[in-house]
Amino acid sequence: MTDTSEHPKETHAFQAEVSRLLHLMVHSVYSNRDIFLRELVSNAADACEKLRYLALETPALLGEDGDLAITLAVDGEAHTLTIADNGIGMSRDELVENLGTIAKSGTRAFLEAAGEAGGKSSNLIGQFGVGFYSAFMVASRVVVTSRRAGSDQAWTWISNGVDGYEVQPADEADAPARGTVIRLELNEESRDYGERTTVERIVETYSAHVPVPVRFVEADGATASLSDGSALWAKPKSEITAEAYKEFYGNVSGQWDEPALTLHYRAEGRHEYSVLMFVPSMKPFDLFDPARKGHVKLYVRRVFIADDVELLPHWLRFARGVVDSEDLPLNLSREMLQHNPVLEAIRKNVTTRLLSELAKTAANEAETFGKIWEAFGAVLKEGLYEDAERRDELFKIARFKTTTSGEASRTLADYVGALKENQTKIYYILADDPARAEASPHLEGFRARGVEVLLLTDPVDAFWVRTALGFDGKPFQSVTQGAADLDAIAGAEDEAKPETDAGELASLIETLKTALGERISEVRASARLASSPACLVAPEFGPDKQFEKIMARHQGGQPFAKPVLEINPGHALIKAIAAKIGTDAALVEDAAHLILGQARIADGEAPEDPADWGRRLDRVLEKALGA
Ligand code: ADP
């Protein structure tokens, strides 16, 4: 036995974030306090599963006691509730590290979200797995006694959830042979958690399907089973209720929203495995965190192996669940997990099934699919450029806002079905948000001809449109890039459009080019404009302007392709400028710079030289107003 005199009682303060979290927990009067038990049971189950996994390599850790279980006990007189497990346990350092600080990004996200939600934060607790600290919603003092598997020293951690905590060597008489005992000294408002019926009800509601048995210890020491710990995914579908699926989803994901989609099947044949997978209905807060790994748990014959194996492609990272293989060896090394042909085959199959399930939902349950797309469309679209093999399947389910969709959204098949006569391309505009996209002058000529344009406003859009060859044989074409080949498509106003004198137009274009010099690569007459005098477009073979903007934001530096200035020959202002050539060269030069600056403003940018632009504007206004 270790000499405990070397380790006297130590007092620690909580990390600042822990204090904040605790304060929030304790003061969220309306929250559903029941959830503390589900969090502690889930931690206990994880501890048992971790030990079972480590014991594959080191059976001595398990020793004689291979019956891993969670036991709950109450004392109605002392008003305590005890949650015990004979899992992996915690060393002194682990107690300090795990129960005094917050390592999890999800908890940080919770704190941020709770800060934003103000008084409504109580509802949020249920949506996140906020873990151990929720014990302080019901307890005025929490005593954790733990012995790490294989260690001869046990430790006690004690806190009132306010001042910090104490750690000291445990009294051997109270210490478990292995694992963790958490004793909650219930506060006055929470005394019913010291009653067996309450405990049974909560386990039934939230923890009936954790994959470790849960037992109740009666006053005489006999135990009663509350849940048998059998794997839900191994049961036939017909025996599983919607509530059971939902509860399992909550436990496996730490999210307690309603799953939008549940996929449960058993694969037989070359590889045998079970899959129970969910698509959440709510966006997790760390969806775009680059460090974020998938959340699918890998089991081998009911033994938990790892939760950080990439069992799904990156663009399905919002799915949650379990894959349980019948034919992988139990003693898989990290190395083997990474390049394993069986896992590769499983990954492929699960991806196919999930995609086809999403397609089915898209076809039959528009409202549910709408929610899924709203939450995860931007992630699914990453697959359009990361996974060329899946592109066609993803195109089938992708939804888009367009210039004609209004509040609804459209599929590419809808788009292609509504092509105008002679329209050979799928047009899109990239922008930061739908309002800016819709206000763009580049859309005018398309609107005038009734040509639908996809409004692409997710950052990922700028990437996949560049690599995708097209849909249904129609290439994707940015409306802000290259010449708008709209002439073949008849528009309502075509006949009415006044013919412009070709000679006059050519000399205007020359004059503008000379005036604007290096700022542009070309000036030309536009087919895409109706009511605006001018706009800027990207050259045919360079990157789209919005794409350049995104790249510049990430990597710094200037866009490298000079834009093309397109003018609207039918516009009164353009005609008036043309008429001044030869009579007022200074005014024409000012006008050239003004329309270039205006076109940049329409794209959400400032004129290149704002001071110079302002001086020109003053001069032209003074002239116009006779100042
Ligand atoms: P989470 O479980 O989501 O990581 P918690 O705050 O609930 O967050 O727990 C923090 C950590 O404390 C856990 O990750 C785990 O390492 C450890 N822990 C909690 N309860 C137990 C337990 N019963 N046995 C072993 N370790 C535990």
Side-chain angles (χ1 to χ4, degrees):
M1 173 160 289
T2 323
D3 177 7
T4 53
S5 61
E6 275 177 42
H7 305 282
K9 177 157 90 183
E10 290 175 16
T11 308
H12 297 253
F14 284 120
Q15 181 194 30
E17 277 160 320
V18 175
S19 296
R20 258 187 77 201
L21 182 64
L22 284 169
H23 183 87
L24 260 169
M25 295 268 188
V26 175
H27 293 90
S28 54
V29 195
Y30 300 105
S31 74
N32 171 8
R33 288 177 302 155
D34 289 359
I35 62 162
F36 82 90
L37 190 55
R38 120 195 143 191
E39 299 291 326
L40 297 183
V41 168
S42 151
N43 281 348
D46 288 349
C48 292
E49 295 203 300
K50 270 183 217 162
L51 177 62
R52 197 182 282 151
Y53 175 66
L54 291 179
L56 294 172
E57 202 173 315
T58 319
L61 289 177
L62 217 46
E64 301 287 284
D65 184 11
D67 175 27
L68 294 167
I70 301 161
T71 49
L72 307 176
V74 295
D75 181 333
E77 273 160 38
H79 305 297
T80 61
L81 165 60
T82 306
I83 298 102
D85 67 73
N86 55 353
I88 185 73
M90 283 177 274
S91 65
R92 181 202 160 279
D93 291 350
E94 285 168 329
L95 279 169
V96 172
E97 177 63 27
N98 295 335
L99 308 186
T101 58
I102 291 178
K104 243 191 348 176
S105 58
T107 312
R108 290 230 169 79
F110 166 77
L111 277 173
E112 275 157 31
E116 279 160 30
K120 285 179 290 179
S121 60
S122 54
N123 297 332
L124 279 168
I125 294 181
Q127 290 168 9
F128 287 79
V130 284
F132 170 78
Y133 301 107
S134 58
F136 289 100
M137 292 197 295
V138 299
S140 52
R141 207 165 86 111
V142 176
V143 181
V144 180
T145 305
S146 193
R147 188 196 309 271
R148 171 90 193 182
S151 165
D152 54 8
Q153 177 66 55
W155 295 88
T156 299
W157 179 103
I158 304 175
S159 175
N160 61 4
V162 182
D163 304 325
Y165 58 94
E166 286 166 5
V167 192
Q168 62 194 75
D171 187 343
E172 268 306 313
D174 299 338
R178 181 185 69 221
T180 305
V181 179
I182 300 179
R183 192 175 83 235
L184 307 179
E185 296 176 10
L186 298 166
N187 60 36
E188 246 169 82
E189 308 87 75
S190 307
R191 299 230 156 131
D192 52 331
Y193 295 112
E195 282 162 28
R196 177 179 179 163
T197 48
T198 315
V199 170
E200 279 178 346
R201 175 182 58 76
I202 302 174
V203 171
E204 173 61 30
T205 311
Y206 291 112
S207 311
H209 300 286
V210 294
V212 176
V214 184
R215 297 170 190 152
F216 189 85
V217 188
E218 327 243 5
D220 62 3
T223 55
S225 168
L226 300 187
S227 142
D228 64 3
S230 66
L232 187 72
W233 61 86
K235 292 187 179 163
K237 275 163 102 161
S238 56
E239 285 174 23
I240 307 174
T241 62
E243 289 75 41
Y245 276 129
K246 186 184 170 196
E247 180 229 300
F248 183 82
Y249 159 72
N251 274 299
V252 79
S253 68
Q255 283 174 226
W256 295 84
D257 55 328
E258 195 77 40
L261 193 155
T262 302
L263 172 65
H264 184 190
Y265 69 97
R266 190 180 162 80
E268 270 152 10
R270 216 149 69 83
H271 304 296
E272 270 183 44
Y273 53 90
S274 302
V275 174
L276 177 48
M277 203 69 77
F278 303 91
V279 172
S281 57
M282 205 186 73
K283 218 188 258 194
F285 284 77
D286 54 353
L287 190 58
F288 291 100
D289 179 352
R292 193 167 178 285
K293 291 257 167 62
H295 285 274
V296 178
K297 293 190 173 180
L298 174 66
Y299 284 76
V300 172
R301 294 184 288 286
R302 257 68 69 211
V303 176
F304 170 73
I305 302 292
D307 58 6
D308 57 356
V309 183
E310 298 281 340
L311 287 168
L312 288 173
H314 197 60
W315 47 271
L316 282 172
R317 63 183 178 274
F318 51 84
R320 298 283 185 277
V322 166
V323 168
D324 187 358
S325 161
E326 294 295 331
D327 26 50
L328 281 172
L330 274 168
N331 59 342
L332 275 168
S333 68
R334 288 268 126 196
E335 250 299 280
M336 283 164 76
L337 282 174
Q338 252 147 39
H339 315 278
N340 188 291
V342 179
L343 286 180
E344 210 31 65
I346 292 178
R347 184 176 132 116
K348 214 166 168 181
N349 176 275
V350 178
T351 304
T352 303
R353 290 290 296 257
L354 256 180
L355 263 180
S356 91
E357 211 58 30
L358 283 167
K360 247 189 255 166
T361 313
N364 306 327
E365 296 168 62
E367 199 182 323
T368 306
F369 188 76
K371 268 191 216 150
I372 295 175
W373 189 260
E374 171 92 29
F376 307 115
V379 178
L380 284 164
K381 281 191 285 186
E382 290 175 16
L384 289 173
Y385 77 96
E386 278 176 9
D387 210 339
E389 251 176 71
R390 302 286 183 178
R391 196 178 285 148
D392 289 339
E393 286 165 88
L394 284 167
F395 272 150
K396 283 189 195 136
I397 59 168
R399 296 286 187 272
F400 298 93
K401 294 272 176 240
T402 77
T403 44
T404 61
S405 69
E407 282 308 300
S409 51
R410 310 251 296 159
T411 62
L412 289 176
D414 294 337
Y415 183 102
V416 169
L419 287 183
K420 292 282 156 192
E421 203 184 329
N422 294 332
Q423 181 183 349
T424 56
K425 295 176 176 171
I426 297 172
Y427 293 103
Y428 66 86
I429 183 164
L430 293 166
D432 292 335
D433 61 80
R436 175 165 287 172
E438 292 230 59
S440 168
H442 300 92
L443 293 176
E444 292 168 1
F446 294 86
R447 282 221 176 83
R449 290 171 178 78
V451 175
E452 183 173 15
V453 178
L454 306 177
L455 307 173
L456 303 183
T457 54
D458 287 316
V460 59
D461 291 326
F463 296 86
W464 67 260
V465 287
R466 285 167 58 80
T467 47
L469 292 177
F471 173 79
D472 199 13
K474 319 280 181 300
F476 292 100
Q477 170 70 45
S478 165
V479 303
T480 63
Q481 175 160 35
D485 39 8
L486 282 173
D487 290 339
I489 306 172
E493 297 152 23
D494 271 6
E495 297 115 68
K497 211 175 226 167
E499 277 298 312
T500 330
D501 180 323
E504 201 172 77
L505 184 60
S507 97
L508 175 63
I509 288 177
E510 260 330 292
T511 311
L512 292 176
K513 263 188 206 161
T514 315
L516 300 173
E518 289 296 293
R519 298 197 170 174
I520 46 150
S521 64
E522 197 190 331
V523 179
R524 67 175 172 232
S526 183
R528 73 190 93 217
L529 292 170
S531 54
S532 295
C535 69
L536 287 167
V537 300
E540 192 88 51
F541 299 108
D544 183 88
K545 279 163 53 80
Q546 180 71 11
F547 178 77
E548 280 202 329
K549 245 196 259 178
I550 292 175
M551 294 312 280
R553 226 177 277 160
H554 286 290
Q555 300 170 349
Q558 287 293 313
F560 60 86
K562 288 206 175 68
V564 176
L565 180 70
E566 286 200 354
I567 56 170
N568 179 354
H571 196 279
L573 177 60
I574 297 298
K575 285 186 180 163
I577 298 172
K580 288 284 179 191
I581 296 177
T583 57
D584 191 342
L587 178 64
V588 172
E589 193 188 318
D590 281 343
H593 284 273
L594 288 178
I595 60 168
L596 173 62
Q598 188 193 28
R600 284 180 62 98
I601 291 169
D603 285 342
E605 289 162 54
E608 238 172 299
D609 181 349
D612 175 69
W613 193 80
R615 275 192 298 276
R616 292 180 193 275
L617 181 61
D618 290 347
R619 266 205 303 270
V620 171
L621 280 177
E622 278 168 20
K623 215 175 252 181
L625 300 171

